[in-house]
Amino acid sequence: MKKGELIAEFAKRTEMSGAAANDAVNTIIEIITERLKKGDTVGITGFGTFSVTKRAARKGRNPATGEAIKIAASKTPRFSAGATLKAAVNPKKKKAA
């Protein structure tokens, strides 16, 4: 599902106009992004948690030349699925008798 499809589905389910749904989805994305930029964690109960993790500087190799390169330290966003989302994706199977 792409962002446009998500907006269309959101508009349909909430009976909002496409423009209002677009604004709502974009606002949610902006809020999450702003909070992550500040270093905060964003938890949505039953869905999951967005957070930022730090990657240490490390050595790597250029795959084209094999030359050793330095990879700078960086921050990366991370998402950890909540229990409800995990259960929805991996429903329990009934045991055979």
Side-chain angles (χ1 to χ4, degrees), residues 31-42 52 75:
I31 292 168
I32 292 170
T33 302
E34 288 169 5
R35 299 303 274 189
L36 292 177
K37 283 172 72 174
K38 291 180 181 179
D40 293 343
T41 298
V42 179
V52 176
K75 296 178 185 176

Side-chain angles (χ1 to χ4, degrees), residues 7 18 21 27-28 31 34 42 44 46-47 49 55 66-67 91 95 97:
I7 291 167
T27 300
I28 291 170
I31 292 168
E34 288 169 5
V42 179
I44 302 171
F47 184 69
T49 303
R55 286 186 176 172
E67 179 184 357
K95 293 182 180 181

Side-chain angles (χ1 to χ4, degrees), residues 45-91:
T45 304
F47 184 69
T49 303
F50 295 91
S51 61
V52 176
T53 58
K54 295 179 182 178
R55 286 186 176 172
R58 60 195 190 279
K59 294 179 184 178
R61 294 225 172 259
N62 180 331
T65 64
E67 179 184 357
I69 58 172
K70 292 181 182 177
I71 301 171
S74 64
K75 296 178 185 176
T76 187
R78 172 169 267 169
F79 176 75
S80 178
T84 305
L85 180 59
K86 287 180 185 178
V89 173
N90 295 303

